[in-house]
């Protein structure tokens, strides 16, 4: 199983890289940027500069293996976007909120640890996906000021946009005191999550984005934290069935939605692989 997962990860990496690499490098019009949206799997440190949150990874042992200091990444080293950037001969894409960060021809990272597709998920403590889109729109204005409208549009149209989002929405629904799944059926709730993701995709497409990459959601039910919750609640070991079911519903719904968007949106291209 490990070999299969590694091969899929490599396929996702190489597909994103192939979309990013261009044949020439004369001027901005031939430059392929990387724009990053999502949660802790992709956040390079935005939460360090988001004053409303205590959800950060700016302390040891985070960052100890590669950077040798905590960068704000929820990892002891690099994240998937870092490897994509490296293989595409781009610099590591810094957090959008990092002070002094105003070079966007290589891309920007809008992801936030703890973020969800829904505004209510960890509301006020994270940069939710809709707010990430608003940051992207602000960045677009800055890019136009720097390059002019024509060149900025070329950068946005050639760029790759990658997403890892949704897991925290389901964590919120499965929290001990949550009433979310009492108020909504599983299908309805997944539809809300996918609906918000779709809105953001369309917002980016409207501004010229054409090439997208999506990480499928891992089986949340088998994460140690939710296995522990199951043990505490039921006395039984193993994966949490409810979380596993939500994961499957999410991945099916996302796959279906992306196929529909491919038919609906002009020039829309995407990859959708396991994280």
């Amino acid at each position: 199983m490990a070999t299969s997962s590694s091969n899929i990860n490599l396929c996702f990496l190489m597909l994103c890289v192939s979309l990013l690499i261009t044949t020439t490098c004369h001027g901005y019009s031939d430059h392929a940027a990387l724009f990053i949206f999502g949660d802790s799997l992709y956040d390079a440190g935005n939460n360090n500069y988001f004053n409303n949150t205590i959800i950060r990874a700016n302390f040891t042992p985070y960052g100890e293996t590669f950077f040798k200091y905590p960068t704000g990444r929820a990892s002891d080293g690099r994240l998937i976007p870092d490897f994509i950037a490296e293989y595409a001969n781009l610099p590591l894409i810094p957090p959008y909120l990092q002070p002094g960060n105003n070079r966007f021809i290589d891309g920007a990272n809008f992801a936030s640890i703890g973020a969800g597709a829904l505004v209510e998920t960890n509301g006020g403590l994270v940069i939710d996906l809709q707010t990430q889109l608003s940051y992207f729109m602000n960045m677009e204005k800055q890019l136009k000021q720097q390059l002019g409208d024509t060149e900025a549009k070329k950068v946005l149209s050639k760029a790759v946009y990658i997403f890892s989002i949704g897991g925290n929405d389901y964590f919120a629904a499965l929290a001990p005191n949550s009433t979310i799944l009492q108020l909504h059926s599983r299908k309805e709730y997944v539809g809300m999550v996918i609906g918000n993701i779709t809105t953001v995709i369309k917002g980016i497409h409207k501004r010229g984005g054409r090439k997208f990459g999506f990480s499928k959601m891992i089986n949340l039910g088998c994460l140690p934290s939710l296995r522990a919750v199951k043990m505490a609640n039921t006395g039984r070991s193993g994966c949490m069935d409810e979380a596993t079911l939500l994961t499957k519903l999410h991945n099916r719904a996302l796959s279906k939605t992306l196929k529909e968007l491919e038919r609906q949106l002009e020039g829309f291209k995407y990859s959708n692989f396991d994280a």
Side-chain angles (χ1 to χ4, degrees):
M1 293 298 291
T3 302
S4 175
S5 176
S6 297
N7 287 339
I8 291 172
N9 289 341
L10 181 60
C11 287
F12 176 67
L13 176 64
M14 297 312 296
L15 201 154
C16 288
V17 170
S18 69
L19 293 175
L20 281 164
I21 292 176
T22 52
T23 55
T24 58
C25 54
H26 304 293
Y28 300 127
S29 61
D30 296 307
H31 189 87
L34 179 63
F35 294 104
I36 302 158
F37 299 80
D39 50 29
S40 61
L41 296 181
Y42 281 10
D43 182 7
N46 277 306
N47 279 21
N48 288 354
Y49 312 105
F50 186 61
N51 293 332
N52 294 345
T53 191
I54 57 172
I55 307 174
R56 295 191 176 106
N58 59 347
F59 51 89
T60 56
Y62 292 118
E64 65 181 3
T65 63
F66 181 79
F67 298 99
K68 308 304 180 184
Y69 66 94
T71 63
R73 291 167 172 81
S75 168
D76 60 359
R78 289 168 289 180
L79 303 174
I80 289 174
D82 297 321
F83 289 101
I84 292 174
E86 179 183 349
Y87 279 92
N89 294 318
L90 290 171
L92 298 185
I93 308 301
Y96 174 71
L97 294 182
Q98 180 175 294
N101 177 28
N102 55 12
R103 175 185 169 87
F104 303 119
I105 61 168
D106 296 318
N109 187 323
F110 305 100
S112 171
I113 296 174
L118 303 177
V119 175
E120 297 82 3
T121 298
N122 294 322
L125 296 175
V126 298
I127 307 164
D128 64 87
L129 187 59
Q130 187 63 45
T131 302
Q132 292 179 34
L133 175 63
S134 70
Y135 285 174
F136 170 76
M137 292 164 63
N138 289 336
M139 183 278 307
E140 178 192 19
K141 294 177 183 177
Q142 293 174 270
L143 198 62
K144 287 181 177 180
Q145 290 172 356
Q146 294 171 1
L147 306 181
D149 286 3
T150 300
E151 290 299 320
K153 287 179 180 178
K154 289 179 181 178
V155 170
L156 297 179
S157 67
K158 289 179 177 291
V160 172
Y161 302 80
I162 60 173
F163 289 76
S164 172
I165 197 75
N168 292 307
D169 298 298
Y170 301 117
F171 276 124
L174 295 167
N177 297 323
S178 174
T179 60
I180 290 174
L181 295 180
Q182 297 173 23
L183 299 173
H184 304 282
S185 70
R186 298 184 190 96
K187 185 176 180 180
E188 287 173 342
Y189 189 65
V190 170
M192 291 162 59
V193 173
I194 298 297
N196 277 24
I197 295 172
T198 303
T199 297
V200 171
I201 293 170
K202 289 182 176 179
I204 294 171
H205 181 272
K206 184 177 180 180
R207 288 159 181 82
R210 293 296 183 267
K211 294 177 284 190
F212 294 79
F214 301 87
S215 295
K216 287 183 182 178
M217 192 170 297
I218 61 173
N219 185 352
L220 300 177
C222 292
L223 293 177
S225 58
L226 291 185
R227 290 169 67 99
V229 170
K230 178 180 178 179
M231 175 63 76
N233 290 343
T234 68
R236 299 195 303 272
S237 62
C239 301
M240 181 187 283
D241 295 337
E242 182 72 15
T244 297
L245 179 56
L246 286 170
T247 299
K248 291 179 179 178
L249 290 173
H250 175 92
N251 285 336
R252 289 172 189 162
L254 179 61
S255 179
K256 180 181 178 182
T257 296
L258 293 175
K259 290 177 182 177
E260 291 173 352
L261 291 175
E262 189 174 32
R263 292 192 296 268
Q264 296 170 6
L265 302 180
E266 180 183 356
F268 180 81
K269 299 178 182 178
Y270 73 92
S271 64
N272 185 24
F273 283 94
D274 292 340

